[in-house]
Amino acid sequence: MTTSVSGGLAIEGLHKVLGGRSIIHSLDMAVRPGELVSLLGPSGCGKTTTLRMIAGFLTPDAGSIKVGGREVVNLGPEHRPSAMVFQNYALWPHMTVAKNVGFPLKLRKRPKAEIAERVDAALTLVNLMHHKDSRPARISGGEQQRTALARALVQEPELLLLDEPLSNLDAKLRVKVREDIREIQQRLGITTVIVTHDQEEAMSVSDRIAVMNNGRIEQFSTPADLYSTPATEFVATFIGSLNRLEGRIEDGRVVPGAGVVGIRPEDVVFGPEAHPRGLAATVERVVPRGHFAELHLRREDAELRSYVTGVPPAVGTSGCARIEKWLEFEDGQLVGQGTPA
Amino acid sequence: MPRVLSRGVVVLLAAVLALFIIGPLAWLAVRAFAASWTYPDLLPDAWTLRWWSVVFSDRALGVAVQNSLFFAPITVLVSAAICLPAAYAFARFEFPGRRFFLIGVFAANSFPKMGLFVSLAALFYALNLMNTILGILVVHVLGTVVFMTWIPAAAFAAVPRSLEEAARDAGASKLRTFFSVTLPIALPGILVAAIMSFLSSFDEAQGTYLVGAPDYMTMPTQMYSLVLNYPTQVAAVFSILLAIPSVALLLAAHKHIVGGHLAEGFQIK
């Protein structure tokens, strides 16, 4: 399989009304060539609608979609330079794995020898040569997923679209397949858009993530940036875990106020000894989370969750909890970040 | 012990059922080769192939066989041409009156057949369709509309839209998608509908008799006169001939639909 330099994706002023309800409100997004971008958001946020408009299954009411600089918004899906991997894989049950993968080339009227060669290359890429002549019903979910991926890649598309590609796989396989997808994507340098509702999945594979809510992009940035500097309260709560408290922080304690304070659990430090910036706290609950534990702490000003590694303190332990870093929101927007003076 | 008992009951019930289904057919088969068969005897007194030669040498009966073999396949083709597009539309599009038409397809089956045929005959006299091939075809196709619409509609509806979308995404036009993806996947359902339509046309007697007799006699309409005018053995021979297509089609269906790879996608092995 040759490395193709694919074009980028540019979406401008995308708008869609479905059933009298505005689903997408003037959405803008630019994906750089070779970049992997996730559309992340809760169900009903418009991420799948957006992907289906990019693929050509839905016609936007307004806006432009450019792939590699070429306007595609008026083209049917069969004429767009994008290839999609469907959530349920959508393999054709009456064709073998090889026929499924070869069908897009057959449609392009490529010579038989070339089809055979490219099908073999695509199946080798996804490590599925041994199931070449199997029918989709006879192979496992993960293998079906890889077949669907091969069918998309064999087209050498300028843009690869994946709709919740991992949601039908079990947890262990999901991690493996998402690493495979990322590895192949980087090797081929193919511009990719993934729709997912799983923030961990988005964080682990994406160059950048567009967090969507109510048909709008709340923030479009790198995973690290989204976590450390969420633009809105929604992004802060959706990405990672957050202590969300009403009020503001003064001298290390939460005091009543108009805004909202967000504190990541790892920024709440609990220890047995008193600390000048801390307040007395009691452990109310301990939730083991594998290599760390989540503590539910009661302080006189608030209830806080905190992550600790190592052996967690027992329920009922008294100690001192301090806040090392926090985010300040007003009307849902980030207005500042705080650290102790 | 209770296990053996329950097994015995199952075997007994199966035997009774087999006797109930196969018994009359076996009687028919023996009858077709009997020279004479008097009441208390379990088997005929003498065997003969005379009744078969009667059937095969009788021109009227030969014509009836020919007519049946003409009308049944043509009926299936005409019915498919008319009903399959409708079935696809019912399965894939939401249009005004969809439910009304879907139920309306049952109209021909929801009245007593004879009443329908009499009013049809009145209409056919006005349209000069009595005693015509076209008239008989209309009657036969009418009887297949329900099968040819409902079963394929269900088959089309069962094809996941994402499979069609995947084909479009891969570069197929709407028409190509239909013929390469939708139709092959819906094919088992369409074959079942075609077989049922074939058999329904092959068995149709009342309407054919009313519209076609005496110019166009098919095997079932010929049966009426056979039962009245020929020895019972000839009717037995003719019944066996009439049953051959049904049995052959059902065996073929079993092999190709239930046993074939098409069943895999439907998990109805």
Side-chain angles (χ1 to χ4, degrees), chain A residues 69-326:
Chain A
R70 192 161 68 100
E71 181 62 67
V72 298
V73 85
N74 291 318
L75 301 178
E78 70 268 38
H79 295 122
R80 296 201 181 189
S82 52
M84 181 149 154
V85 174
F86 290 75
Q87 183 171 12
N88 59 5
Y89 317 137
L91 299 175
W92 302 300
H94 57 299
M95 300 183 196
T96 61
V97 165
K99 288 261 164 60
N100 263 280
V101 176
F103 189 64
L105 301 177
K106 202 172 146 193
L107 290 171
R108 285 165 180 74
K109 303 208 163 56
R110 309 307 307 170
K112 274 215 167 77
E114 185 196 327
I115 294 179
E117 194 182 309
R118 282 171 68 178
V119 166
D120 281 3
L123 288 178
T124 308
L125 185 73
V126 298
N127 196 13
L128 217 59
M129 272 306 271
H130 56 292
H131 274 311
K132 207 178 157 186
D133 298 316
S134 308
R135 287 190 188 277
R138 295 284 166 98
I139 61 179
S140 72
E143 287 162 346
Q144 292 179 5
Q145 216 276 346
R146 273 143 57 198
T147 308
L149 186 63
R151 184 175 69 185
L153 292 174
V154 82
Q155 306 174 39
E156 294 180 359
E158 281 191 61
L159 181 64
L160 179 66
L161 306 171
L162 298 108
D163 185 11
E164 302 267 3
L166 308 171
S167 60
N168 287 336
L169 302 175
D170 61 61
K172 201 149 201 165
L173 199 56
R174 206 175 295 167
V175 174
K176 159 113 179 54
V177 173
R178 84 179 179 213
E179 278 162 11
D180 289 349
I181 289 177
R182 177 59 161 164
E183 194 268 320
I184 290 170
Q185 182 268 335
Q186 286 189 322
R187 181 137 51 100
L188 301 180
I190 187 167
T191 313
T192 304
V193 177
I194 296 185
V195 157
T196 179
H197 63 269
D198 183 339
Q199 50 122 344
E200 193 202 326
E201 185 179 312
M203 300 281 275
S204 57
V205 298
S206 315
D207 292 309
R208 285 192 295 163
I209 300 173
V211 182
M212 291 186 67
N213 187 31
N214 289 326
R216 289 190 175 81
I217 292 182
E218 294 260 332
Q219 191 175 1
F220 186 27
S221 197
T222 61
D225 195 37
L226 285 176
Y227 191 79
S228 62
T229 323
T232 65
E233 202 186 317
F234 174 82
V235 175
T237 40
F238 198 77
I239 305 274
S241 194
L242 193 77
N243 289 293
R244 183 188 175 281
L245 304 164
E246 309 216 332
R248 60 203 156 78
I249 291 190
E250 255 170 40
D251 298 332
R253 71 168 59 223
V254 183
V255 297
V260 167
V261 179
I263 309 152
R264 297 287 184 200
E266 63 271 25
D267 295 328
V268 177
V269 182
F270 176 79
E273 313 87 17
H275 190 280
R277 281 187 283 109
L279 284 179
T282 331
V283 177
E284 290 206 319
R285 226 177 119 205
V286 179
V287 184
R289 299 274 293 263
H291 69 282
F292 65 94
E294 182 183 316
L295 305 181
H296 290 230
L297 303 170
R298 151 97 40 213
R299 295 205 322 187
E300 62 177 78
D301 58 340
E303 267 183 76
L304 294 170
R305 278 171 301 127
S306 166
Y307 291 159
V308 290
T309 49
V311 182
V315 173
T317 309
S318 292
C320 173
R322 63 181 192 274
I323 298 164
E324 290 292 2
K325 218 169 102 191
W326 64 91

Side-chain angles (χ1 to χ4, degrees), chain B residues 31-53:
Chain B
R31 193 69 167 174
F33 295 96
S36 68
W37 195 358
T38 41
Y39 161 62
D41 299 338
L42 207 58
L43 286 172
D45 313 328
W47 301 88
T48 177
L49 284 174
R50 203 178 83 209
W51 313 119
W52 291 82
S53 64

Side-chain angles (χ1 to χ4, degrees), chain A residues 33-66:
Chain A
E35 194 177 27
L36 191 154
V37 163
S38 290
L39 298 178
L40 175 67
S43 46
C45 72
K47 56 190 191 295
T48 298
T49 307
T50 305
L51 193 79
R52 291 176 64 79
M53 284 194 279
I54 299 172
F57 299 125
L58 276 177
T59 314
D61 294 313
S64 115
I65 300 171
K66 289 197 179 100

Side-chain angles (χ1 to χ4, degrees), chain B residues 169-194:
Chain B
D169 192 61
S173 64
K174 284 182 182 169
L175 201 66
R176 181 69 196 255
T177 299
F178 178 78
F179 284 107
S180 290
V181 172
T182 317
L183 192 61
I185 297 174
L187 200 59
I190 294 170
L191 282 181
V192 168

Side-chain angles (χ1 to χ4, degrees), chain B residues 167-226:
Chain B
R168 296 294 307 282
D169 192 61
S173 64
K174 284 182 182 169
L175 201 66
R176 181 69 196 255
T177 299
F178 178 78
F179 284 107
S180 290
V181 172
T182 317
L183 192 61
I185 297 174
L187 200 59
I190 294 170
L191 282 181
V192 168
I195 287 171
M196 291 181 75
S197 299
F198 187 94
L199 295 180
S200 137
S201 165
F202 209 75
D203 280 342
E204 156 56 39
Q206 292 177 344
T208 316
Y209 200 77
L210 198 70
V211 174
D215 294 353
Y216 297 101
M217 298 297 277
T218 60
M219 287 172 78
T221 55
Q222 199 59 261
M223 279 295 283
Y224 283 132
S225 63
L226 276 179

